[in-house]
């Protein structure tokens, strides 16, 4: 779907008019392209007292090949960077005459144990934020509050969420801000998450809080993979794969090396075949709501098993509940939620989803904030979140992770049919002032499916540009 306002205010004439009238000017987001470097530019490093993650951060900076500059708050970074053989320098504010623009700001707050120790956060972001370029990235690292040794430490670490979400709303210009809580012992399992949040793949993900746990992170070191094709030799099932977001998910997983098995209803067989043919994938034309579907899917996968299951298929039948029929209620709950449970039960019971696998559900902002006229849809999508939270500890013994994405306003054929005023409200009511693209959902799912993301489970990540509703 074309966003005419976004295109206009980013044209030479439209930009001048927007400035003169004081109109908002959403930035054209930088998204991942295979023909462009994924990581480039300067990264500014800051830290609070006794930072615990700088060594792992130095490994990351070396791995992605960017140049770092150290803020005064990160006194330990310079000698550490030199030991790692990194190119590094000292940060110079933009108004000091330095022409360099920063691509990312990273702050290690893992050692902060008291609210009185939060001041370095102000110093770092006060000095660096104006030097951050368009579509820049902000990542703050901390410790999971529930793992903290004292109430004061819990308090200080929880305070980071307010900071990061506010930075995401202040920075503008396509900048995203996210918080990563890294559990003790999970330092070696945080790279896939930092790569995602620092790259153009996370263009529409902002204001999010992700926890990387030591549970599952051990498998990261023992699982060989290529960062350029991390899903090679892995098989992925994607439901609702014929078109739209499902086709985008299938495309991104295939681009990262996976063999994709796409599932969609028989009436969409032609579109499904066309999508999977381009990806050298396997189409399965099954109605997931049918009682026999789980057994059919399991039988089709039995010989080779599967590593990734993405529950994308879903429908809407919008009415206020007073006008909604029982059939409309039940069909949405059955396809959007109950079918996921039945399919997973079949694949897990038969061992078809291999140990160390990934389950990813597609929820929605509606499942978090609710939405008038969507009681059935919101109920189903909130149920997806419940599945993630309840199943994560049960699957841990097999090394299987389960997570969900919750898209906000995404430019699809469905949103193109919305009334103009509602469509514009959906686009503008987020920190990036625009709708997302199906590929934004797909890239987030690919990160959760990554073999390096074993320390992430039981979590819901909103792909909403930091929506002002339900964010």
């Amino acid at each position: 779907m074309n966003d005419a306002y976004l295109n206009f205010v980013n044209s030479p004439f439209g930009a001048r008019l927007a400035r003169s009238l004081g109109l908002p000017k959403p930035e054209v987001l930088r998204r991942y392209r295979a023909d462009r470097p994924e990581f480039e530019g300067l990264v500014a490093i800051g830290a609070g007292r006794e930072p615990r993650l700088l060594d792992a951060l130095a490994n990351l900076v070396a791995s992605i090949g960017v140049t770092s500059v150290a803020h005064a708050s990160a006194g330990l970074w310079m000698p550490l960077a030199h030991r790692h053989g990194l190119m590094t320098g000292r940060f110079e504010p933009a108004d000091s005459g330095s022409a360099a623009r920063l691509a990312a700001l990273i702050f290690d707050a893992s050692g902060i144990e008291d609210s009185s120790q939060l001041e370095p956060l102000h110093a770092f972001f006060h000095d660096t934020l104006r030097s951050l370029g368009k579509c820049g990235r902000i990542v703050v690292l901390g410790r999971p509050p529930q793992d903290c040794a004292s109430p004061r430490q819990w308090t200080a670490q929880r305070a980071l969420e307010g900071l990061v979400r506010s930075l995401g709303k202040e920075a503008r210009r396509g900048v995203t801000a996210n918080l990563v809580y890294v559990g003790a012992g999970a330092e070696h399992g945080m790279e896939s998450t930092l790569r995602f949040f620092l790259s153009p793949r996370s263009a529409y993900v902002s204001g999010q809080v992700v926890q990387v746990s030591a549970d599952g992170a051990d498998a990261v070191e023992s699982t060989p993979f290529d960062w350029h094709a991390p899903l090679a030799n892995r098989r992925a099932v994607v439901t609702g794969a014929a078109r739209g977001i499902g086709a985008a998910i299938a495309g991104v997983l295939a681009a990262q090396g996976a063999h994709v098995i796409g599932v969609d209803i028989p009436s969409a067989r032609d579109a499904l075949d066309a999508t999977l043919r381009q990806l050298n994938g396997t189409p399965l034309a099954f109605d997931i709501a049918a009682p026999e579907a789980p057994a059919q899917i399991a039988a089709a996968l039995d010989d080779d098993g599967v590593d990734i299951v993405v529950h994308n298929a879903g429908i809407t039948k919008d009415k206020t509940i007073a006008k909604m029929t029982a059939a409309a209620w039940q069909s949405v709950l059955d396809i959007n939620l109950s079918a996921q449970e039945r399919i997973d039960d079949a694949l897990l019971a038969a061992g078809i989803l291999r140990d160390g696998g990934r389950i990813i559900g597609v929820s929605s902002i509606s499942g978090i904030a609710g939405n008038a006229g969507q009681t059935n849809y919101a109920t189903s999508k909130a149920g997806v979140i419940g599945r993630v939270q309840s199943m994560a500890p049960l699957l841990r013994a097999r090394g299987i992770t389960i997570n969900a994405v919750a898209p906000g306003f995404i430019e699809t054929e469905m949103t193109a049919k919305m009334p103009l005023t509602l469509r514009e409200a959906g686009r503008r009511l987020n920190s990036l002032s625009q709708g997302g693209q199906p590929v934004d959902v797909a890239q987030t799912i690919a990160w959760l499916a990554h073999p390096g993301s074993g320390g992430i489970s039981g979590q819901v990540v909103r792909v909403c540009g930091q929506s002002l509703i339900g964010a």
Side-chain angles (χ1 to χ4, degrees), residues 129-181:
L129 194 57
R130 284 172 292 182
S131 299
L132 187 60
K134 293 179 180 179
C135 299
R137 296 288 183 263
I138 298 171
V139 178
V140 175
L141 305 174
R143 291 299 198 192
Q146 70 273 16
D147 295 346
C148 290
S150 70
R152 285 182 177 271
Q153 185 185 12
W154 182 318
T155 298
Q157 290 294 319
R158 180 58 177 81
L160 300 176
E161 296 190 26
L163 168 80
V164 168
R165 290 188 170 125
S166 297
L167 288 171
K169 294 177 179 179
E170 286 186 8
R172 302 182 183 277
R173 298 177 297 129
V175 170
T176 65
N178 294 285
L179 171 61
V180 182
Y181 284 129

Side-chain angles (χ1 to χ4, degrees), residues 253-274:
L253 296 182
Q256 295 195 16
H259 177 83
V260 178
I261 301 101
V263 180
D264 218 313
I265 54 178
S267 62
R269 182 187 295 272
D270 289 346
L272 180 66
D273 288 347

Side-chain angles (χ1 to χ4, degrees), residues 185-228:
E187 292 81 3
H188 57 281
M190 70 184 197
E191 184 171 353
S192 71
T193 298
L194 293 189
R195 279 175 171 260
F196 174 70
F197 282 133
L198 292 171
S199 81
R201 298 180 190 272
S202 60
Y204 202 61
V205 180
S206 189
Q208 299 307 291
V209 180
V210 171
Q211 294 197 16
V212 182
S213 169
D215 291 330
D218 290 340
V220 173
E221 291 184 321
S222 61
T223 306
F225 59 85
D226 179 351
W227 285 108
H228 299 291

